[in-house]
Amino acid sequence: MNKDLAELLIVNLIKNAIIHNKEKEGKVVIRLSSSYFTIENTSDNPSIDVNRLFQRFNKNSNSKSSTGLGLAIVKAIADASDLSVTYSYNNNRHIFKVNSITNK
């Protein structure tokens, strides 16, 4: 994978986790394995509609630092790099998982 694209993918996911985290006592958790990684954040917001999640300019925040492009960029990089990016919501946590398409 291209190093610059890998960095952009990871930075966008971490920024997303920070922007959409709880204001007080929020947590961002990054888990790494040999075949995938997850980035999750605590949240007071409900699950995100997966049909709109990776669309450009989709914003679930009033944050001025959010353009609504980050997750669309993540998805485009993943697709171009033969990676899978998935979203789940569990116990008030938004979880993004990135892995190779062959290791779904």
Side-chain angles (χ1 to χ4, degrees):
M1 176 175 194
N2 177 285
K3 177 185 173 281
D4 294 327
L5 291 178
E7 182 178 329
L8 186 57
L9 182 142
I10 293 167
V11 166
N12 279 339
L13 286 172
I14 292 172
K15 180 180 176 186
N16 184 73
I18 292 168
I19 289 172
H20 299 289
N21 209 338
K22 286 184 172 185
E23 282 192 36
K24 295 186 180 198
E25 299 183 25
K27 294 181 181 178
V28 173
V29 178
I30 300 171
R31 289 181 169 73
L32 303 171
S33 85
S34 61
S35 59
Y36 70 90
F37 70 90
T38 62
I39 297 177
E40 64 183 72
N41 64 283
T42 53
S43 179
D44 291 325
N45 297 322
S47 177
I48 303 168
D49 178 4
V50 294
N51 294 320
R52 295 181 25 160
L53 183 64
F54 296 108
Q55 291 179 355
R56 292 182 301 154
F57 308 114
N58 179 33
K59 291 174 64 169
N60 288 332
S61 168
N62 292 327
S63 172
K64 292 181 181 178
S65 63
S66 176
T67 62
L69 289 172
L71 292 178
I73 292 169
V74 165
K75 178 73 170 135
I77 292 170
D79 289 349
S81 303
D82 291 329
L83 298 174
S84 168
V85 58
T86 57
Y87 165 78
S88 61
Y89 182 78
N90 190 9
N91 294 327
N92 294 324
R93 291 178 183 253
H94 298 280
I95 305 163
F96 289 88
K97 180 178 181 180
V98 178
N99 61 338
S100 71
I101 290 177
T102 58
N103 290 323
K104 281 187 182 178

